[in-house]
């Protein structure tokens, strides 16, 4: 950096402050340029239009004397006309659509892979009030898909980072930062009691877990809000508009939550960065359509995106069926689900899965005698104790990083590989003439316990689990060990 | 990944056909032979038997290791019959059986829906990531 202000010895905080100051300055200048461009446009537009086609001209009465960023019932200010001109040029959207959008308020739940494009697009498109809810921090492993966050925000609140990015794109809209997780106890308040009696018109579910999906759905049904629901995992995505104009809700489609194993997270199964991006963009599109009553929203239909085969399918309800399930416990004809019920409902228990990665409970399947800490294991290695370290993660995980010398036998095929383990133990014992011990490791220390439980009952009574897996090895023994 | 019905399934169909009154042995044998010759659904003649293409999505894809499969079903089979057959061949599908939607030719249907030849049945469990 050749700037005199930020030298090589400046701390990250100093750099961030300087960036913030410069950003503010930049925004100020950009606003001034926009205003001037708008003025210039107003002066030249009539002449330019006359040269092309008179019918293409912006309707003059809409350019009024409103100040920068203001919107009134009658029309748009000059700089807004310039900013949103490409929307205004769309015959199906036009001034009416833009005005509706500018008067709408949309809540985006989650500022992750889906929420990133949703928030960016809604902010740039000119949603009047954009609320973002999230209590998570930006992590480096988010950035490949959560495109709203920049490196400088790693370790900081996602909601703060997302709002800053949106403000940088469009300073004329109202941004509300909800720095908390949306839960049954606060959801009704957050969705229905926005500033000065104004409420959110549309809710976008951009969360990453099952209990939140059911909770947000129920909240929207109770408050009568349309819900734009998107999901992405691996190379697939799903998108639906729920509870819109009498259409079905999430529970109509999936009254029974799948078991925990069936609903994986990106942090376990992986996700190609662009996939939530595609679904998030479509969510923003549906949110705009619903907010402006333009087009035909994806209500009563589900879009399935298959990145692997580049195929999009749309599954719909039979025309003769209304779509909504009459038996639905929250939106059905005889549903008796109240706000009180909602606030007391345990969604994590209902879905058997946690809302947050951080609250994932640690399994305890094997007795303490069959476990060893990563530090204790390190001591054994240093003492050259003959042993075999069995890594039971899937083969593609093992390729990412592994403790040197460990043997990979994935849990799924462990049953068939017992002779291999036996052989490895004998070989390890031969070198020192002593009996070799068997230790089992995985990523977080859950699968290794399952493996030890199985091994203990199938000819390896002394097999031990490495507590906390590779994550604990990286934290307590080898800080340079790559975690993922 | 497309899997065409393996031989055992054809045999299974044959044995089921024996119980069925409205199927003649000649048709059965014809259907089975042709199936082994070609994997192209369009060219196949299965007589009174109906051929259903099942599409797997999300977790169903992981559990079966397939994106789709072709099933030969007795006439008048329902989506439920198709599911029973799938559960028989892929017991792991039990995991999502109670929490998925069935779509027949891109329309949500109840399990009681009767299938027709060359129908496309999609098994769609929810995705929750984001």
């Amino acid at each position: 950096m050749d700037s005199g202000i930020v030298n090589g010895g400046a701390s990250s905080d100093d750099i961030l402050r300087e960036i913030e100051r410069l950003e503010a300055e930049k925004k100020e200048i950009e606003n001034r340029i926009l205003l001037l461009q708008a003025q210039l446009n107003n002066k030249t537009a009539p002449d330019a239009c006359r040269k092309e086609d008179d019918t293409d001209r912006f309707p003059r009465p809409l350019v009024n004397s409103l100040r920068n960023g203001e919107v009134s019932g009658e029309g748009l200010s000059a700089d807004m006309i310039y900013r949103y001109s490409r929307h205004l040029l769309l015959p199906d959207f036009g001034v009416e659509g833009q005005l509706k959008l500018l008067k709408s308020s949309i809540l985006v739940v989650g500022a992750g892979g889906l929420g990133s494009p949703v928030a960016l697009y809604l902010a740039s498109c000119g949603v009047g009030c954009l609320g973002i809810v999230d209590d998570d921090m930006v992590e480096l492993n988010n950035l490949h898909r959560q495109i709203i966050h920049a490196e400088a925000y790693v370790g900081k609140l996602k909601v703060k980072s997302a709002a800053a990015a949106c403000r940088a794109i469009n300073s004329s809209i109202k941004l509300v930062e909800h720095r908390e997780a949306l839960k049954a106890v606060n959801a009704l308040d957050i969705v229905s009691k926005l500033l000065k009696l104004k409420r959110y018109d549309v809710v976008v579910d951009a969360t990453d877990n099952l209990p939140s999906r059911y909770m947000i759905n129920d909240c929207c049904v109770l408050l009568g809000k349309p819900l734009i629901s998107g999901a992405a995992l691996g190379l697939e995505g799903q998108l639906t508009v729920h509870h819109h104009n009498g259409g079905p809700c999430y529970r109509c489609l999936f009254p029974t939550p799948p078991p925990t194993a069936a609903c994986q997270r990106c942090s376990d199964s992986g996700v190609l960065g662009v996939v939530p991006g595609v679904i998030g963009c479509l969510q923003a599109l549906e949110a705009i359509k619903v907010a402006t009553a333009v087009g035909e929203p994806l209500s009563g239909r589900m879009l399935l995106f298959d990145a692997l085969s580049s195929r999009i399918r749309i599954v719909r309800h039979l025309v003769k069926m209304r779509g909504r399930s009459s038996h639905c416990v929250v939106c059905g004809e005889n549903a008796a689900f109240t706000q009180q019920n909602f606030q007391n409902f345990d969604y994590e228990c209902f879905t058997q899965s946690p809302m947050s990665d951080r609250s994932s409970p640690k399994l305890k399947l094997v007795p303490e005698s069959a476990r060893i800490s990563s530090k204790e294991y390190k001591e054994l290695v240093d003492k050259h104790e003959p042993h075999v370290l069995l890594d039971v993660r899937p083969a593609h995980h093992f390729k990412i990083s592994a403790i040197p010398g460990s043997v990979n036998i994935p849990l799924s095929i462990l049953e068939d590989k017992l002779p291999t383990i036996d052989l490895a133990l004998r070989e390890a014992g031969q070198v020192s003439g002593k009996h070799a011990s068997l230790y089992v490791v995985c990523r977080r220390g859950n699968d290794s316990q399952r493996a030890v439980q199985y091994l203990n009952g199938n000819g390896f009574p002394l097999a031990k689990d490495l507590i906390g897996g590779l994550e604990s090895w990286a934290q307590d023994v080898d800080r340079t060990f790559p975690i993922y | 990944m497309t899997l065409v019905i393996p031989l055992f399934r054809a045999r299974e169909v044959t044995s089921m056909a024996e119980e069925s009154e409205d199927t003649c042995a000649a048709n059965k044998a014809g259907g089975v032979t042709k199936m082994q010759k070609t994997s192209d659904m369009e060219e196949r003649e299965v007589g009174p038997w109906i051929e259903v293409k099942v599409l797997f999505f999300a977790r169903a894809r992981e559990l079966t290791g397939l994106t789709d499969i072709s099933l030969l079903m007795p006439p008048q089979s329902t989506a439920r019959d198709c599911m029973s057959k799938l559960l028989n061949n892929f017991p792991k599908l039990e995991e999502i059986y109670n929490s998925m939607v069935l779509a027949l030719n891109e329309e949500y249907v109840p399990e009681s829906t009767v299938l027709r030849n060359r129908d496309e049945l999609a098994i769609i469990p929810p995705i929750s990531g984001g």
Side-chain angles (χ1 to χ4, degrees), chain A residues 114 208-209 213 231-233 236 238 250 253-254 256 258-259 261-264 266 302 306 313-318, chain B residues 55-59 61-62 95-96 98-101 103 105-110 120 124-130:
Chain A
L114 297 164
D208 64 352
N209 63 85
R213 293 189 180 279
L233 189 76
E236 281 179 272
Q238 293 177 348
Y250 189 71
L253 274 186
F254 301 111
T256 313
C263 258
Q264 288 143 331
C266 298
M302 188 200 283
D306 182 353
R313 283 171 200 270
I314 294 173
V315 176
R316 64 189 183 280
H317 277 279
L318 286 167
Chain B
L55 308 173
F56 299 111
F57 289 94
R59 182 67 174 166
R61 219 170 251 201
E62 277 175 52
E95 182 189 295
I96 51 146
N98 290 319
S99 45
M100 55 174 213
V101 289
N105 305 326
E106 306 197 341
E107 272 185 338
Y108 296 123
V109 288
E120 204 176 62
I124 311 164
I127 300 181
S128 66

Side-chain angles (χ1 to χ4, degrees), chain A residues 35 122 180 244 271 276 438:
Chain A
L35 202 62
L122 292 182
E180 55 200 312
H244 180 53
V271 62
L438 178 60

Side-chain angles (χ1 to χ4, degrees), chain A residues 231-247:
Chain A
L233 189 76
L235 292 151
E236 281 179 272
Q238 293 177 348
L239 173 79
T240 310
V241 174
H242 292 298
H243 192 60
H244 180 53
N245 284 342

Side-chain angles (χ1 to χ4, degrees), chain A residues 41 107 198-199 282 380 383 444:
Chain A
N41 194 44
L107 181 68
K198 179 138 174 61
R199 293 160 181 223
L282 291 170
L380 299 174
K383 281 191 236 157
R444 296 195 178 108

Side-chain angles (χ1 to χ4, degrees), chain A residues 387-388 420-430 434-439 460:
Chain A
H387 74 280
V388 168
T420 315
I421 300 172
D422 208 36
L423 190 69
L425 281 171
R426 268 188 277 137
E427 276 174 9
Q430 263 167 11
K434 281 194 281 181
H435 192 75
S437 349
L438 178 60
Y439 301 104
F460 300 91

